[in-house]
Amino acid sequence: MQIVWDLKETAVRDVVSRFPDPKPAYTTVATVMNALDKKGFVNKVSAGKSHLFSVKISKEDYSGFKAGSLVKNYFNGSFSSMASFFAKDNKLSIQELEEMIEIAKKQIEKEK
């Protein structure tokens, strides 16, 4: 997705070219791009014998989707379990946790 956001509109071969060596196979990238289209993250339009893919979802919305999926699939839908895991695993300080809470509070207030 990062490459598609950077290029705005792209073909599979252009996505492949952006990867460092060893580059992934064209068919692998094409499979991922088609999956992103089916999930509604990109638009796919025919362009001769190939396809062009363009952004359909913002980074912010995509991040929210991925974060929600992470919480649902790995932490049984519990944000507090996720926060506890990251706090313990990353050895976050009380100050860092309090900062996270403040950021979350501000975001919730902003959305009201």
Side-chain angles (χ1 to χ4, degrees):
M1 279 302 299
Q2 187 63 50
I3 294 170
V4 180
W5 285 314
D6 289 345
L7 298 175
K8 308 288 188 255
E9 184 176 74
T10 187
V12 172
R13 71 182 176 292
D14 298 324
V15 174
V16 171
S17 74
R18 287 289 191 105
F19 279 91
D21 289 329
K23 296 186 183 315
Y26 178 95
T27 53
T28 301
V29 175
T31 298
V32 171
M33 296 300 290
N34 284 315
L36 291 171
D37 174 53
K38 287 181 179 153
K39 290 182 178 185
F41 299 144
V42 298
N43 286 317
K44 178 172 107 174
V45 295
S46 293
K49 292 182 179 181
S50 64
H51 295 94
L52 288 176
F53 296 87
S54 59
V55 174
K56 190 173 181 179
I57 187 170
S58 70
K59 284 183 184 182
E60 184 177 273
D61 288 344
Y62 184 78
S63 296
F65 171 81
K66 294 305 280 183
S69 179
L70 175 72
V71 172
K72 178 182 173 191
N73 294 325
Y74 295 101
F75 298 101
N76 296 323
S78 171
F79 282 98
S80 58
S81 292
M82 182 185 73
S84 174
F85 170 81
F86 283 109
K88 182 172 55 172
D89 195 55
N90 294 303
K91 298 179 176 59
L92 297 178
S93 69
I94 297 296
Q95 182 181 353
E96 288 170 314
L97 291 170
E98 288 173 348
E99 288 172 8
M100 290 171 54
I101 291 168
E102 284 305 310
I103 291 168
K105 283 180 182 178
K106 288 177 184 175
Q107 185 63 37
I108 290 168
E109 288 300 318
K110 183 175 148 184
E111 291 176 3
K112 283 185 181 181

